[in-house]
Amino acid sequence: MEKRRRRLPPIGQEQEQDSGRISAKALRGWLVSVLLSLLCIQLFIDIPLHNYRHAAAANGDRGEAGTFTATREERIRGSNGRTKRICYGDFRPADGGTGLSGIRGHVPRGGCEEGRTHEARLMRADSGGLLRDAEPDQAYAGGGLDERGFTVLLMGAFLLLFGGIATLVALVKTTELLSAVLRRGKKTSESRGKSRK
């Protein structure tokens, strides 16, 4: 006796059960892909896009123009055991608006001598995001991508790749589910039409 092989449904129709319903497995796959896509979008906004704004301010392309005058320098030991120097000072806007005192300034090495003034760009405080804390007002004097620039490049590339794949899968799954719903609606209307005859 010959065994009959079970025929698989065409791609895109595997979501349908005998009754024309969409399977729970297909809905779970769709939900996971949509959630991953949304998470990657939020992370992209939170990490690389946020750091890009600060890196652009360091290069003079973003932020409020003005001058930063150093008032003090603090040394903080990092988790890796290295000492980090943080400069604080006063920012005066170029348009003559109200200045800010005691804000952090990102200045070139050796530029945090008390009373030293730099052309700078101010990035206003923000409330943080999903994975980053709120940041206070900060002034940027001098160029260079520093660690923020590398964060933009590395995390941006990773999230665009991973997020792009997740978004593509979400779009494909959404299309499959919508076509299954439309087929189900068509079958229902056809069966109602036959029953009336």
Side-chain angles (χ1 to χ4, degrees):
M1 277 181 91
E2 260 186 60
K3 288 185 180 179
R4 289 186 79 185
R5 289 180 139 185
R6 186 171 167 230
R7 200 166 176 206
L8 295 174
I11 295 174
Q13 293 181 9
E14 62 272 1
Q15 298 92 345
E16 292 188 75
Q17 299 291 336
D18 296 336
S19 62
R21 290 191 192 155
I22 298 168
S23 73
K25 183 179 178 182
L27 284 174
R28 278 193 304 269
W30 173 78
L31 185 61
V32 166
S33 63
V34 167
L35 289 176
L36 277 175
S37 177
L38 292 174
L39 177 66
C40 285
I41 291 168
Q42 180 60 46
L43 288 175
F44 187 78
I45 291 168
D46 253 10
I47 300 171
L49 196 57
H50 170 75
N51 282 300
Y52 163 74
R53 291 182 189 118
H54 285 265
N59 287 315
D61 296 330
R62 286 187 78 103
E64 188 178 338
T67 57
F68 175 80
T69 304
T71 56
R72 74 181 196 282
E73 182 180 69
E74 289 183 10
R75 294 178 186 213
I76 298 174
R77 185 170 298 274
S79 58
N80 60 2
R82 295 176 62 182
T83 302
K84 187 174 184 179
R85 296 176 179 188
I86 299 177
C87 187
Y88 291 93
D90 303 328
F91 179 82
R92 299 285 174 248
D95 64 4
T98 307
L100 300 168
S101 296
I103 68 167
R104 182 174 178 182
H106 300 269
V107 296
R109 204 175 260 288
C112 196
E113 299 163 1
E114 189 175 345
R116 189 157 179 194
T117 301
H118 304 272
E119 295 282 324
R121 293 285 182 149
L122 176 70
M123 290 300 292
R124 294 281 179 183
D126 69 28
S127 58
L130 187 66
L131 287 181
R132 66 181 171 78
D133 296 329
E135 289 189 0
D137 294 324
Q138 297 180 60
Y140 289 86
L145 286 178
D146 68 10
E147 67 272 3
R148 288 191 184 266
F150 293 111
T151 302
V152 170
L153 296 174
L154 296 176
M155 286 297 292
F158 172 75
L159 288 171
L160 280 176
L161 177 67
F162 187 72
I165 292 169
T167 303
L168 183 63
V169 169
L171 290 172
V172 168
K173 293 275 185 197
T174 301
T175 304
E176 289 175 354
L177 289 173
L178 286 174
S179 65
V181 167
L182 291 173
R183 281 194 303 273
R184 181 178 175 201
K186 185 176 178 183
K187 285 180 184 178
T188 304
S189 64
E190 287 174 359
S191 64
R192 283 182 186 164
K194 288 178 183 177
S195 63
R196 287 179 185 168
K197 291 179 183 179

